[in-house]
Amino acid sequence: MKNISYIIIGMIFGLGISISGMINPAKVLNFFDIAGFWDPSLMFVMGGALITTMIGYRIVFGRHHPIFATKFSIPTRNEIDTQLIGGAAVFGIGWGIAGFCPGASIPAIGSFKSEVLIFTVAMTAGILVARAFKNGVLSKAKA
Amino acid sequence: METAFTPYVSLFGGVLIGIAAVLMMLMHGRIFGATGILAGAIFERGQEQVWRILVIVGMITAPAIYLLIAGRMPTIDVPITTPAIIIGGFLVGVGVTFGAGCTSGHGVCGIARFSPRSIVATITFMIAAIVTVYIIRHIIGAA
């Protein structure tokens, strides 16, 4: 049951991405193109997702623990540093070039379109290189 | 390339994304962040790896489920060149690794729990994407 719930949660997320239009780079890029073919649809995606999550989290956090786990695992980091802002900026540049974010590209793999597969391989390469750099150069610099 | 403004389906898709995020917290006490799920599916081992792979499997089935419901695949137009897809994908991978999250982790789950880190990251990547699209389409004049 626990394992099936992960698959179903992934499906619901992916369906949301597919239905909302987040899965379509042409639409995402037009959302960013406020001086051109501006398509404000993604404001409704973010709005719908955020309001649902805010209300849902309030209810869920009233519980002592999640259904299948003994505790809530919430990120605890709170530092706003160069890595956070620089990383977010680089992500935004890539998103503005290609129109896919990670959460949209993964469901898009299910379309088997070659552009999606190329994007996903390039994104995974970026993750591998950045992690190697973080674990190598940066952790040595700290030590 | 123009895209149609779709407020209702986009809002509905956004609500589904929110429901997936809330179910992940309710059942497993975890954030739904596509970056962490993808990276963890590669680098974690044991159950920490398994649950993330299951979520990805669910996500990838979404276009097929969409096909069953809607009678056609979701529209995925990638209006850029292959080198641009590769550069964009690589930058997305590097950015989300240093920024520790993307649209789902920071933009939805992080903001929904009022995390200052996530609010700063989301504003940063949104502005970076808008500026990038402006430069590509209106200053360089491509696409």
Side-chain angles (χ1 to χ4, degrees):
Chain A
M1 201 46 223
K2 186 178 172 181
N3 281 344
I4 293 168
S5 75
Y6 286 120
I7 299 178
I8 292 171
I9 290 169
M11 266 179 200
I12 296 171
F13 182 90
L15 261 184
I17 292 288
S18 303
I19 293 170
S20 66
M22 283 289 284
I23 199 164
N24 186 7
K27 203 168 174 63
V28 174
L29 293 174
N30 281 354
F31 172 67
F32 295 134
D33 191 7
I34 45 179
F37 299 124
W38 193 47
D39 176 356
S41 305
L42 293 205
M43 252 163 42
F44 290 76
V45 185
M46 287 298 282
L50 254 179
I51 291 167
T52 307
T53 309
M54 277 180 188
I55 296 169
Y57 273 10
R58 280 192 85 98
I59 298 167
V60 170
F61 288 147
R63 297 174 54 94
H64 290 293
H65 61 83
I67 293 171
F68 293 117
T70 51
K71 61 176 178 53
F72 291 103
S73 316
I74 308 295
T76 50
R77 294 168 64 182
N78 54 21
E79 69 279 14
I80 292 168
D81 53 14
T82 336
Q83 271 200 41
L84 177 80
I85 295 171
V90 171
F91 163 45
I93 294 168
W95 198 15
I97 292 172
F100 275 127
C101 58
S105 70
I106 298 169
I109 294 171
S111 72
F112 300 107
K113 290 195 91 156
S114 58
E115 295 99 321
V116 182
L117 303 178
I118 294 167
F119 175 88
T120 314
V121 169
M123 174 177 71
T124 308
I127 293 174
L128 293 171
V129 169
R131 272 183 77 109
F133 186 80
K134 263 177 105 169
N135 295 340
V137 179
L138 291 185
S139 61
K140 263 182 209 150
K142 263 182 200 165
Chain B
M1 185 199 298
E2 254 180 286
T3 52
F5 176 47
T6 54
Y8 300 110
V9 287
S10 287
L11 184 68
F12 176 62
V15 169
L16 283 181
I17 293 168
I19 289 172
V22 173
L23 286 177
M24 184 65 97
M25 191 58 75
L26 170 68
M27 293 183 171
H28 307 289
R30 287 181 180 277
I31 291 293
F32 194 113
T35 294
I37 289 169
L38 179 60
I42 301 169
F43 297 105
E44 296 282 353
R45 290 295 175 260
Q47 180 58 23
E48 285 300 302
Q49 180 181 39
V50 170
W51 77 259
R52 290 178 169 96
I53 292 173
L54 293 173
V55 174
I56 290 174
V57 168
M59 288 165 87
I60 293 176
T61 62
I65 297 166
Y66 183 98
L67 173 66
L68 285 176
I69 299 168
R72 60 174 182 85
M73 287 296 260
T75 308
I76 302 177
D77 287 321
V78 190
I80 55 166
T81 62
T82 303
I85 296 174
I86 295 171
I87 294 166
F90 189 81
L91 292 178
V92 167
V94 170
V96 297
T97 303
F98 282 106
C102 54
T103 328
S104 50
H106 281 313
V108 177
C109 298
I111 293 186
R113 56 184 191 87
F114 308 103
S115 153
R117 256 173 78 81
S118 292
I119 293 168
V120 169
T122 305
I123 292 171
T124 306
F125 61 63
M126 284 290 180
I127 291 174
I130 289 169
V131 170
T132 302
V133 170
Y134 187 83
I135 292 171
I136 291 173
R137 291 193 176 176
H138 302 288
I139 295 179
I140 303 173

